[in-house]
Coordinates of all heavy atoms in Angstrom, one line a residue:
A25 N 69.9 -152.1 -12.1 CA 68.5 -152.0 -11.9 C 68.1 -151.0 -10.8 O 68.9 -150.8 -9.8 CB 67.9 -153.4 -11.4
V26 N 67.0 -150.2 -10.9 CA 66.7 -149.3 -9.9 C 65.2 -149.6 -9.5 O 64.4 -149.8 -10.4 CB 66.7 -147.9 -10.5 CG1 66.2 -146.9 -9.4 CG2 68.1 -147.5 -10.9
E27 N 65.0 -149.7 -8.2 CA 63.7 -150.1 -7.7 C 62.9 -148.8 -7.1 O 63.5 -148.1 -6.4 CB 63.7 -151.1 -6.6 CG 64.1 -152.5 -7.2 CD 63.9 -153.6 -6.2 OE1 62.9 -153.6 -5.4 OE2 64.8 -154.5 -6.1
I28 N 61.7 -148.6 -7.6 CA 60.9 -147.5 -7.0 C 59.6 -148.1 -6.7 O 58.7 -148.3 -7.5 CB 60.7 -146.4 -8.1 CG1 62.0 -145.9 -8.7 CG2 59.9 -145.3 -7.6 CD1 61.9 -145.0 -9.8
G29 N 59.4 -148.4 -5.4 CA 58.2 -149.1 -5.0 C 58.2 -150.6 -5.7 O 59.1 -151.4 -5.5
T30 N 57.2 -150.8 -6.4 CA 57.2 -152.1 -7.1 C 57.6 -152.0 -8.5 O 57.7 -153.0 -9.2 CB 55.6 -152.6 -7.1 OG1 54.8 -151.6 -7.8 CG2 55.1 -152.8 -5.8
L31 N 58.0 -150.8 -8.9 CA 58.5 -150.6 -10.3 C 60.0 -150.9 -10.3 O 60.7 -150.4 -9.5 CB 58.3 -149.1 -10.8 CG 58.7 -148.8 -12.1 CD1 58.1 -149.6 -13.2 CD2 58.6 -147.3 -12.4
V32 N 60.4 -151.7 -11.3 CA 61.8 -152.0 -11.4 C 62.3 -151.5 -12.7 O 61.7 -152.0 -13.8 CB 62.2 -153.5 -11.2 CG1 63.6 -153.8 -11.4 CG2 61.7 -153.9 -9.8
L33 N 63.3 -150.6 -12.8 CA 63.8 -150.1 -14.1 C 65.2 -150.8 -14.3 O 66.0 -150.8 -13.5 CB 64.0 -148.7 -14.0 CG 62.7 -147.8 -13.8 CD1 63.1 -146.4 -13.5 CD2 61.7 -148.0 -14.8
K34 N 65.4 -151.3 -15.5 CA 66.6 -152.0 -15.8 C 67.2 -151.2 -17.0 O 66.5 -150.9 -17.9 CB 66.5 -153.4 -16.1 CG 66.0 -154.2 -14.9 CD 66.0 -155.7 -15.1 CE 65.5 -156.4 -13.9 NZ 65.4 -157.9 -14.1
G35 N 68.5 -151.1 -17.0 CA 69.1 -150.4 -18.2 C 70.6 -150.7 -18.2 O 71.3 -151.2 -17.2
R36 N 71.2 -150.2 -19.3 CA 72.6 -150.4 -19.5 C 73.2 -148.9 -19.7 O 72.5 -148.1 -20.5 CB 73.0 -151.2 -20.6 CG 72.6 -152.6 -20.4 CD 73.0 -153.4 -21.5 NE 72.5 -154.8 -21.4 CZ 72.5 -155.8 -22.3 NH1 72.9 -155.5 -23.5 NH2 72.0 -157.0 -22.0
F37 N 74.4 -148.7 -19.3 CA 75.1 -147.5 -19.5 C 76.2 -147.7 -20.5 O 76.8 -148.8 -20.5 CB 75.5 -146.9 -18.2 CG 74.4 -146.4 -17.3 CD1 73.9 -147.3 -16.4 CD2 73.7 -145.2 -17.4 CE1 72.9 -147.1 -15.6 CE2 72.6 -144.9 -16.6 CZ 72.2 -145.8 -15.8
G38 N 76.6 -146.7 -21.2 CA 77.7 -146.8 -22.1 C 77.3 -146.8 -23.5 O 76.1 -146.8 -23.9
P39 N 78.3 -146.9 -24.4 CA 77.9 -146.9 -25.9 C 77.1 -148.1 -26.2 O 77.4 -149.2 -25.7 CB 79.3 -146.9 -26.5 CG 80.2 -147.5 -25.5 CD 79.7 -147.1 -24.1
Q40 N 76.3 -148.0 -27.2 CA 75.5 -149.1 -27.8 C 76.4 -150.1 -28.5 O 77.3 -149.6 -29.3 CB 74.4 -148.6 -28.7 CG 73.4 -149.6 -29.2 CD 72.4 -149.1 -30.0 OE1 72.3 -147.8 -30.2 NE2 71.5 -149.8 -30.6
P41 N 76.3 -151.4 -28.4 CA 77.1 -152.3 -29.2 C 76.9 -152.1 -30.7 O 75.7 -151.8 -31.1 CB 76.7 -153.7 -28.6 CG 75.4 -153.5 -28.0 CD 75.3 -152.0 -27.5
A42 N 77.9 -152.3 -31.4 CA 77.8 -152.2 -32.8 C 76.9 -153.3 -33.4 O 77.0 -154.4 -33.0 CB 79.2 -152.2 -33.4
E43 N 76.1 -152.9 -34.4 CA 75.1 -153.7 -35.0 C 75.8 -154.1 -36.4 O 76.5 -153.4 -37.0 CB 73.8 -153.2 -35.3 CG 73.1 -152.9 -34.0 CD 71.7 -152.3 -34.2 OE1 71.3 -152.2 -35.3 OE2 71.1 -152.0 -33.2
T44 N 75.4 -155.2 -36.8 CA 75.9 -155.8 -38.2 C 75.0 -155.2 -39.2 O 73.9 -154.8 -38.9 CB 75.9 -157.2 -38.3 OG1 74.6 -157.7 -38.1 CG2 76.7 -158.0 -37.2
P45 N 75.5 -155.0 -40.5 CA 74.8 -154.4 -41.6 C 73.5 -155.2 -41.8 O 72.4 -154.6 -42.2 CB 75.7 -154.5 -42.7 CG 77.0 -154.5 -42.2 CD 76.9 -155.2 -40.8
G46 N 73.4 -156.5 -41.6 CA 72.2 -157.4 -41.8 C 71.2 -157.0 -40.8 O 70.0 -157.0 -41.2
Q47 N 71.5 -156.6 -39.5 CA 70.5 -156.3 -38.6 C 69.9 -154.9 -38.9 O 68.7 -154.7 -38.8 CB 71.2 -156.1 -37.2 CG 71.6 -157.5 -36.6 CD 72.3 -157.2 -35.2 OE1 73.1 -156.3 -35.1 NE2 72.1 -158.1 -34.3
D48 N 70.7 -154.0 -39.4 CA 70.2 -152.7 -39.9 C 69.2 -152.9 -41.0 O 68.1 -152.3 -41.0 CB 71.3 -151.7 -40.3 CG 72.1 -151.3 -39.2 OD1 71.7 -151.3 -38.1 OD2 73.3 -150.8 -39.5
R49 N 69.5 -153.7 -41.9 CA 68.6 -153.9 -43.1 C 67.3 -154.6 -42.6 O 66.2 -154.2 -43.1 CB 69.4 -154.8 -44.2 CG 68.5 -154.9 -45.4 CD 68.3 -153.6 -46.1 NE 67.4 -153.8 -47.2 CZ 66.4 -152.9 -47.5 NH1 66.5 -151.8 -47.0 NH2 65.6 -153.1 -48.5
A50 N 67.4 -155.6 -41.8 CA 66.1 -156.3 -41.3 C 65.3 -155.3 -40.5 O 64.1 -155.4 -40.7 CB 66.6 -157.5 -40.4
F51 N 66.0 -154.4 -39.7 CA 65.1 -153.5 -39.0 C 64.5 -152.5 -39.9 O 63.3 -152.2 -39.7 CB 66.1 -152.6 -38.0 CG 65.4 -151.7 -37.2 CD1 64.5 -152.1 -36.2 CD2 65.6 -150.3 -37.4 CE1 63.9 -151.1 -35.4 CE2 64.9 -149.4 -36.5 CZ 64.1 -149.8 -35.6
E52 N 65.1 -152.0 -41.0 CA 64.5 -151.1 -42.0 C 63.4 -151.8 -42.7 O 62.3 -151.2 -42.9 CB 65.6 -150.7 -43.0 CG 66.6 -149.7 -42.4 CD 67.8 -149.4 -43.3 OE1 67.6 -149.7 -44.5 OE2 68.7 -148.7 -42.9

Side-chain angles (χ1 to χ4, degrees):
V26 177
E27 289 189 42
I28 305 170
T30 58
L31 177 65
V32 178
L33 304 172
K34 295 182 180 181
R36 295 182 186 169
F37 295 94
Q40 184 176 359
E43 295 182 3
T44 62
Q47 288 176 327
D48 290 341
R49 184 66 190 144
F51 182 70
E52 289 174 8

